[in-house]
Amino acid sequence: MTGRGGAKKSRAAGPAPPTTTLVLDNGADTIKAGFVSDDKSDGKPRIIPNCLARDRHRKIYVGSELEKCKDFSELAFRRPVEKGFIVNWEAQKEIWDREFFDDKAAQKCDPSDTRLILTEQPNSLPSLQTHCDQIVFEEYGFASYYRGLGPVFNAYRDIQSIFRTPQSTIDSPAQVILLIDSGYSHTTVTPILQGRPLHPAIRRLDVGGKLMTNYLTRLLSVRHFDMRNEPYIVNEMKEAVCYTSLDFKGDLEKTWKGTRGEKREDYLSGAGIAKDYVLPDSHTRFHGVVRDYEPGVSARARKGIVSTEDVLTLRNERFVVPELLFNPSDIGIRQPGIADLVKQSLLAVPIGLWPGLLANIVVVGGNSLSEGFCQRLQTEILKRFPDECRVRVARPEDPIISTWLGAANFAKHEHASKLEVTKQEYEEHGAAWVARKFAAGLGLDP
Amino acid sequence: MNNFGVIEVASQKTKNAPGWAYVPDTGLTPAAAAALQPLNRKRAARDKANVGAPDLTARQDAKIRKDLEALDKDSHRDAQIPIPPKAGGTRAQNKHTPNVRKILQSQKTFANHLDDFQAFLALAESNPQLAAHVNKPTPTTTTTTATTTARNSPAPSTITTASSNKRSSAAPKRAAATAAAAAAGAKEEKGGSHKKLKTQPQPKAVAGSDDIEMADGPEATGETITPDSSEPFPPPRPDTPTSLEPSTTATPPPTTTEQPNIQSYPPDGTILPAYNRPPPTPHPGDDDPLLVSRVPPFPTDEELRALITAPPLSYLEARAQWTEEEEGRYPARRFCEVCGYWGRVKCIKCGARVCALECLEAHREECLVRYGL
């Protein structure tokens, strides 16, 4: 009681509340950043690579400077975010400084007159959260600040339009959704009720885009070229060619070459699965190109006919990689797949919530862009629940920036003013108080 | 029978003689046999079946572990990329607060932080007094339960009472420990700006506001989270047919303010063609006891309240794991290590899986290099 009253009083006495909000979805791979204010808002965030990159000429690119990079071969990365959480503040501060606070920054912002809304991944470590709060207030001095779970912000989007449900009113936050966030570091399942995460039911699978890219790198290195120093190129390839198989056994059968001497017909023709991928040569081509499989090409290459391009024929690599999300045990990870993740999460909530959660499954994050992902997920989830449960899985059009869009809506929502902490409050109560306030969240307040 | 004068004497003694020896018949289980007569201690250790993946040897297990660690890395080689010097104007301010300086200079990785956190939890479990002492200046309050300040109660009961490691029952301890860890993190900064930390005025502030939030909770959740507005707090219904809602094939999502979302399910949806069923308009078959769908009992208000106010799990608790009964329910799929097809053949030498002869030959080359003939 006293704490609240005091906070209100101090806020009234302090400077006027900031009018603009910097919404920052600080992902491990990219930062999604944009400003929101009452009168004008960025409709879409700017996507900034969250890394320091070094090319083979030892030139270093910081954050969005990577756009200037032309030659992506042997690009090495240093990332401030590890496992979804900001760990290395030295690097993170450098990137933030260059993007937001320097004189020539692309999105210049004055922290003392700005509110910051920052996303974080669920189940962070307390020490990392404290570091984050301290940097925000003590180094940058934002006027006010809220650090919230990334998945939860999605509840402030118009969820039913993602499902294409005709409706008269838009609930904000959405009443009940089950959010699956499959990003660079990991995949999380978060049931959300009225904008409040159900903490005991949040589950994480340590398979993300990074692991999948590394796995593709390994497959290619065993079967084709050594690509271990080319994370950028392999990642590009993964995004271009990988898809989620709806019939894993069948597809695997089609891509098998057969026993010795025998070349199966499906193998020779490609069966619609094999694709040729032309690697960038860093002279004329800087990005890879996907082509339909031509049976002759690789054979010609093998015979030594000079070709100017390096072509990889990708067969089961295309669907084995996203398969890791559904069957992590394929490479020995002793964790359940994403559908079992949903099941384990739901087992932690009362059964009465199941119908609502299952009918409103939203998938965000870059991995969900792989073709067939939602369909596969839906069939897998259907198998694990009673027939009567309606399972709807939907992916917003823009799964990568979905969390940002939700957070932008949140910034205008009344919940934001309820949850934020001002600089004054931080100075008065300290970091531990702030951490507790953020952890408590909305509580049962309407 | 004349056995060339040799008389066999049954004995329990075994003897490793060159040539042959009598050994006791130890039954059929190879594991027991291996335990009784280990040929080679090293090999026995290597081939020992491990719990999770019974058909993997320790060597294969180690290989998988190593591979996974490699897959988890950001880059193949450890890239030490320094922060480039500023190109243009230098930033004016170079004065950080002590906390910030400490954070910026920290070279800890996530694994280090995780280890620290685990060490802290272990400390809190074994020696709550000391753990509480570690962060004396700040109160360790749990977010949901009672307030327990380290200052006025040296041995917080919330920490000592929770001893089980189960996910559910560890909640209070976890909350306390988490808050304490946050406090410990906050304490690092003590030297700097926070003279207020020591004289923190309201250790009960948060708990107090929590109490208030919970106090005005009931009517809020009562009106928002009940499935049908006619009965505000439906008790868990028994599974008798009388309690089944003779509604429709479509179970409305139960957390709704009022009824309108009954019609919010469309007859079709391009995203979900599998659910192309008639819309839940009144239907003569609705009352047919064979067609009604079972509506699960809606959670009580208390359940929901506990669920919403529960503290976050820790990083390790949130990691999904197989439960004991599920572990090994389905055998892990094995793939050819060369081409990626099903691994149907096992290499005799190293146990790696391959699909057929062609891949086996490719594998042998590698196997020879690694293990010799």
Side-chain angles (χ1 to χ4, degrees):
Chain A
M1 187 77 154
T2 43
R4 281 203 141 190
K8 254 179 209 150
K9 210 173 13 164
S10 66
R11 197 179 293 169
T19 51
T20 50
T21 303
L22 172 62
V23 178
L24 214 56
D25 180 8
N26 202 75
D29 187 37
T30 53
I31 302 175
K32 279 70 75 177
F35 290 104
V36 176
S37 61
D38 291 335
D39 41 350
K40 62 175 175 62
S41 306
D42 297 348
K44 277 194 172 180
R46 199 160 66 96
I47 298 185
I48 308 160
N50 195 6
C51 60
L52 298 157
R54 184 178 60 198
D55 67 9
R56 60 175 169 177
H57 307 297
R58 307 194 75 75
K59 182 171 173 5
I60 296 177
Y61 304 89
V62 180
S64 58
E65 287 172 15
L66 195 60
E67 289 163 13
K68 292 182 215 150
C69 180
K70 286 282 177 299
D71 180 2
F72 297 106
S73 65
E74 290 181 37
L75 207 58
F77 293 101
R78 170 180 170 187
R79 298 183 191 277
V81 176
E82 235 180 284
K83 304 265 174 202
F85 309 105
I86 309 175
V87 173
N88 191 315
W89 274 101
E90 190 195 12
Q92 188 65 76
K93 180 175 170 330
E94 184 66 22
I95 294 168
W96 281 13
D97 281 346
R98 293 198 183 211
E99 303 299 335
F100 309 114
F101 307 116
D102 274 354
D103 294 335
K104 290 176 290 181
Q107 284 175 304
K108 180 91 182 80
C109 118
D110 174 17
S112 63
D113 191 28
T114 310
R115 176 169 64 174
L116 175 69
I117 290 182
L118 181 68
T119 68
E120 69 166 350
Q121 288 298 304
N123 313 107
S124 179
L125 300 179
S127 61
L128 294 176
Q129 292 175 325
T130 308
H131 286 178
C132 188
D133 300 346
Q134 285 174 341
I135 291 272
V136 163
F137 281 123
E138 295 184 20
E139 174 66 20
Y140 292 113
F142 276 96
S144 65
Y145 161 60
Y146 175 61
R147 162 173 60 73
L149 298 188
V152 177
F153 287 121
N154 286 284
Y156 293 86
R157 296 199 69 195
D158 181 5
I159 292 300
Q160 293 310 320
S161 78
I162 298 172
F163 288 106
R164 320 234 172 131
T165 316
Q167 55 181 347
S168 46
T169 55
I170 296 171
D171 303 310
S172 183
Q175 282 161 345
V176 52
I177 58 174
L178 183 69
L179 196 106
I180 301 177
D181 184 356
S182 184
Y184 179 81
S185 317
H186 52 227
T187 301
T188 56
V189 173
T190 313
I192 304 165
L193 211 61
Q194 315 266 3
R196 293 143 176 92
L198 304 183
H199 283 295
I202 298 179
R203 290 288 179 276
R204 184 185 69 247
L205 165 65
D206 291 327
V207 175
K210 174 179 70 178
L211 187 120
M212 282 156 47
T213 302
N214 286 345
Y215 184 55
L216 181 59
T217 309
R218 174 187 297 169
L219 294 182
L220 295 175
S221 303
V222 170
R223 298 174 199 173
H224 301 277
F225 309 117
D226 186 353
M227 304 282 281
R228 283 178 300 181
N229 288 325
E230 313 282 0
Y232 188 93
I233 291 171
V234 176
N235 188 53
E236 216 176 28
M237 188 188 312
K238 178 192 77 177
E239 286 169 11
V241 302
C242 282
Y243 73 98
T244 309
S245 171
L246 298 177
D247 173 19
F248 183 78
K249 278 182 189 166
D251 284 355
L252 197 60
E253 211 65 51
K254 280 183 204 162
T255 51
W256 190 38
K257 63 185 177 310
T259 50
R260 184 156 53 172
E262 171 207 22
K263 284 280 182 263
R264 296 188 156 199
E265 199 167 312
D266 279 339
Y267 182 81
L268 291 175
S269 69
I273 293 173
K275 291 266 185 216
D276 283 340
Y277 190 84
V278 187
L279 291 174
D281 59 5
S282 19
H283 294 293
T284 53
R285 244 190 337 270
F286 295 103
H287 293 280
V289 180
V290 189
R291 280 197 205 138
D292 283 337
Y293 173 62
E294 287 175 55
V297 172
S298 54
R300 235 182 295 140
R302 221 175 293 128
K303 278 178 201 140
I305 294 171
V306 183
S307 158
T308 53
E309 45 192 31
D310 286 328
V311 180
L312 293 180
T313 303
L314 299 167
R315 294 173 192 272
N316 57 27
E317 295 86 354
R318 287 189 64 205
F319 55 86
V320 160
V321 172
E323 184 71 17
L324 292 183
L325 282 171
F326 295 93
N327 285 299
S329 58
D330 283 359
I331 56 167
I333 298 176
R334 290 192 198 160
Q335 277 195 284
I338 194 165
D340 284 305
L341 205 64
V342 170
K343 189 176 164 200
Q344 292 199 351
S345 168
L346 287 196
L347 285 175
V349 304
I351 209 165
L353 290 177
W354 286 17
L357 288 168
L358 284 172
N360 294 284
I361 300 178
V362 180
V363 190
V364 301
N367 297 335
S368 64
L369 282 169
S370 97
E371 186 194 323
F373 180 84
C374 289
Q375 220 178 327
R376 170 76 183 272
L377 184 61
Q378 195 184 341
T379 37
E380 294 247 332
I381 292 176
L382 266 174
K383 282 183 205 160
R384 285 166 173 79
F385 288 96
D387 281 348
E388 289 152 347
C389 286
R390 212 168 224 254
V391 178
R392 298 194 301 173
V393 180
R395 178 188 73 196
E397 264 175 58
D398 35 25
I400 291 178
I401 60 170
S402 175
T403 298
W404 185 90
L405 292 173
N409 289 350
F410 169 80
K412 295 178 194 163
H413 198 274
E414 54 171 352
H415 283 169
S417 51
K418 212 176 278 176
L419 288 168
E420 70 183 346
V421 167
T422 63
K423 186 164 193 296
Q424 216 167 355
E425 284 172 315
Y426 172 79
E427 280 163 2
E428 205 166 296
H429 303 296
W433 179 85
V434 172
R436 279 199 305 275
K437 175 164 175 168
F438 287 160
L442 281 169
L444 292 165
D445 274 352
Chain B
M1 195 198 324
N2 184 4
N3 213 355
F4 305 106
V6 177
I7 302 159
E8 295 182 14
V9 182
S11 108
Q12 288 293 314
K13 205 175 160 197
T14 67
K15 209 164 141 194
N16 275 328
W20 58 276
Y22 284 115
V23 292
D25 182 4
T26 52
L28 292 171
T29 53
L36 272 174
Q37 34 177 186
L39 293 167
N40 179 336
R41 201 181 297 163
K42 241 183 185 170
R43 185 173 293 171
R46 190 194 68 198
D47 294 339
K48 195 175 61 183
N50 47 11
V51 192
D55 59 338
L56 289 183
T57 61
R59 189 201 275 161
Q60 283 170 311
D61 210 36
K63 180 170 176 284
I64 287 176
R65 210 175 319 122
K66 221 175 80 196
D67 284 351
L68 286 181
E69 271 165 29
L71 287 180
D72 205 36
K73 275 199 248 170
D74 251 325
S75 55
H76 167 54
R77 283 179 306 200
D78 278 335
Q80 287 298 328
I81 302 178
I83 287 171
K86 295 284 144 9
T90 51
R91 236 160 271 136
Q93 42 111 1
N94 254 336
K95 44 183 195 299
H96 304 299
T97 64
N99 306 323
V100 173
R101 205 176 310 133
K102 205 168 178 180
I103 295 170
L104 290 180
Q105 282 167 357
S106 158
Q107 292 298 319
K108 277 188 183 176
T109 63
F110 182 78
N112 299 140
H113 284 287
L114 190 59
D115 288 345
D116 286 355
F117 180 66
Q118 274 177 292
F120 183 83
L121 284 186
L123 182 67
E125 199 163 338
S126 64
N127 194 347
Q129 207 161 346
L130 185 60
H133 191 76
V134 167
N135 27 263
K136 195 175 53 178
T138 45
T140 55
T141 51
T142 67
T143 44
T144 52
T145 55
T147 71
T148 315
T149 65
R151 249 177 314 175
N152 45 30
S153 71
S157 56
T158 42
I159 296 178
T160 44
T161 47
S163 59
S164 159
N165 268 334
K166 287 263 164 64
R167 225 171 213 150
S168 52
S169 59
K173 178 193 71 183
R174 181 194 333 121
T178 314
K187 196 205 128 203
E188 290 171 13
E189 57 178 78
K190 211 181 66 183
S193 60
H194 282 274
K195 51 186 183 292
K196 269 154 193 156
L197 259 183
K198 266 191 178 164
T199 62
Q200 194 171 32
Q202 310 294 349
K204 288 189 174 183
V206 164
S209 62
D210 262 4
D211 285 346
I212 287 166
E213 284 167 2
M214 290 171 80
D216 55 39
E219 75 250 22
T221 46
E223 74 184 17
T224 47
I225 315 188
T226 42
D228 32 14
S229 47
S230 55
E231 34 177 350
F233 302 111
R237 295 170 218 161
D239 294 348
T240 52
T242 50
S243 74
L244 300 181
E245 283 203 351
S247 61
T248 50
T249 48
T251 311
T255 60
T256 54
T257 39
E258 271 121 307
Q259 285 295 60
N261 69 330
I262 287 251
Q263 90 261 355
S264 74
Y265 284 122
D268 74 327
T270 37
I271 297 179
L272 300 167
Y275 283 89
N276 206 344
R277 290 181 193 165
T281 44
H283 188 272
D286 276 354
D287 296 329
D288 191 331
L290 286 176
L291 294 181
V292 292
S293 56
R294 201 179 76 85
V295 177
F298 197 72
T300 59
D301 206 37
E302 285 73 38
E303 276 180 299
L304 284 178
R305 188 181 306 175
L307 207 55
I308 286 177
T309 53
L313 299 176
S314 77
Y315 182 78
L316 291 170
E317 284 168 325
R319 182 177 193 270
Q321 272 165 336
W322 285 117
T323 55
E324 262 172 42
E325 56 171 302
E326 282 170 328
E327 170 102 54
R329 174 180 292 174
Y330 300 106
R333 308 191 289 192
R334 306 239 170 261
F335 297 95
C336 170
E337 297 197 353
V338 180
C339 75
Y341 187 66
W342 301 117
R344 304 184 297 192
V345 183
K346 217 170 179 178
C347 169
I348 305 171
K349 206 155 273 161
C350 69
R353 300 291 191 118
V354 288
C355 63
L357 279 178
E358 199 172 336
C359 285
L360 185 62
E361 277 161 19
H363 167 76
R364 273 225 178 107
E365 287 172 23
E366 186 206 3
C367 202
L368 276 182
V369 172
R370 204 182 280 168
Y371 301 116
L373 268 172

